[in-house]
C-alpha cells in the first residue's frame, strides 16, 4: 500500500503532501515488524524529496530503503541516480551495475548503466548494458540511441 500511495503522489506531482503523508504513516510502522512497508515508505519519501536530483535528505531516505528492502533493483537504480547527480560517477556505476545484474532488474537500470559507461568510455560495460536494454525493450524510447552506440563500440573495437 505504501508503494502505491507513494507512486500516486509522485505521479501527480504532489511532492510536499506526499512526503508529509508518508512520513506520518511511517511513524506508525515498526520497521522490525514490517520491513516492506517501512522500506517502501522510505523509498517514496526519498523520491518525493528529489533524491534522484541529488537532494541530500532524499538520499538519506533511499539509503534506509536499501537496507530495509535488501538491495532491491529499483532502489539501487534510484541511489545510482542520486550518486550521479552528486557527482560520484564511480559509485553510480557500481549501483547501476548491481541494479542491472539483479534478477528482476528494471529496464532503466540497463540504460542508465549503458549511458554512464559510454560517457566514461567503458566499452565492455556499455556494450553488455545496452545489449540487455535492447533485449528487454527493442522498441524503447532510447533504442535508436542504444543501437548507434553499439555500432560505434563495434566499430571502435580493434580487430582480433
Amino acid at each position: 500500500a505504501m508503494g502505491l500511495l507513494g507512486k500516486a503522489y509522485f505521479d501527480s506531482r504532489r511532492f510536499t503532501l506526499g512526503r508529509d503523508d508518508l512520513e506520518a504513516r511511517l511513524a506508525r510502522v515498526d520497521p522490525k515488524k514490517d520491513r516492506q512497508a517501512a522500506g517502501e515508505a522510505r523509498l517514496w519519501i526519498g523520491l518525493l524529496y528529489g533524491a534522484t536530483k541529488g537532494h541530500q535528505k532524499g538520499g538519506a531516505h533511499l539509503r534506509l530503503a536499501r537496507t530495509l528492502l535488501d538491495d532491491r533493483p529499483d532502489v539501487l537504480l534510484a541511489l545510482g541516480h542520486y550518486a550521479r547527480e552528486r557527482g560520484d560517477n564511480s559509485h553510480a556505476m557500481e549501483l547501476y551495475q548491481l541494479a542491472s545484474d539483479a534478477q528482476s532488474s528494471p529496464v532503466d537500470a540497463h540504460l542508465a548503466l549503458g549511458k554512464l559507461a559510454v560517457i566514461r568510455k567503458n566499452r565492455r560495460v556499455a556494450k553488455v548494458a545496452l545489449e540487455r536494454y535492447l533485449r528487454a525493450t527493442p522498441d524503447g524510447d532510447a533504442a535508436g540511441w542504444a543501437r548507434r552506440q553499439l555500432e560505434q563500440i563495434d566499430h571502435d573495437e580493434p580487430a582480433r
Side-chain angles (χ1 to χ4, degrees):
M2 290 278 206
L4 293 173
L5 186 59
K7 182 170 178 17
Y9 281 127
F10 190 86
D11 290 347
S12 66
R13 306 185 56 74
R14 298 169 75 188
F15 304 124
T16 303
L17 177 63
R19 286 190 310 256
D20 293 347
D21 183 34
L22 287 174
E23 285 178 329
R25 290 170 186 267
L26 178 61
R28 296 188 302 269
V29 173
D30 180 353
K32 291 180 180 142
K33 292 182 180 173
D34 196 348
R35 291 175 63 88
Q36 180 72 28
E40 286 289 340
R42 292 286 184 187
L43 168 62
W44 286 102
I45 292 167
L47 294 172
L48 290 164
Y49 266 116
T52 59
K53 303 224 181 309
H55 295 286
Q56 192 169 0
K57 195 165 187 177
H61 283 281
L62 289 183
R63 285 188 292 279
L64 289 168
R66 180 181 184 185
T67 301
L68 291 163
L69 298 173
D70 300 320
D71 280 353
R72 207 171 72 187
D74 58 331
V75 178
L76 294 169
L77 177 61
L79 276 166
H81 293 327
Y82 172 74
R84 187 164 180 201
E85 285 297 319
R86 305 275 301 172
D88 190 349
N89 287 338
S90 294
H91 191 53
M93 281 281 288
E94 292 171 20
L95 292 162
Y96 288 155
Q97 186 73 62
L98 287 170
S100 181
D101 288 346
Q103 182 84 23
S104 59
S105 61
V107 172
D108 290 346
H110 308 312
L111 184 59
L113 177 61
K115 284 181 176 181
L116 189 51
V118 165
I119 290 167
R120 298 191 74 193
K121 299 186 183 336
N122 187 330
R123 292 191 313 230
R124 182 187 58 77
V125 171
K127 184 172 182 164
V128 170
L130 295 175
E131 286 172 345
R132 284 179 179 172
Y133 172 76
L134 288 172
R135 269 196 308 277
T137 180
D139 298 321
D141 292 341
W145 176 85
R147 285 187 188 90
R148 288 189 299 279
Q149 294 304 314
L150 286 171
E151 288 171 9
Q152 187 64 44
I153 289 167
D154 289 341
H155 181 267
D156 291 346
E157 285 184 352
R160 295 176 195 234

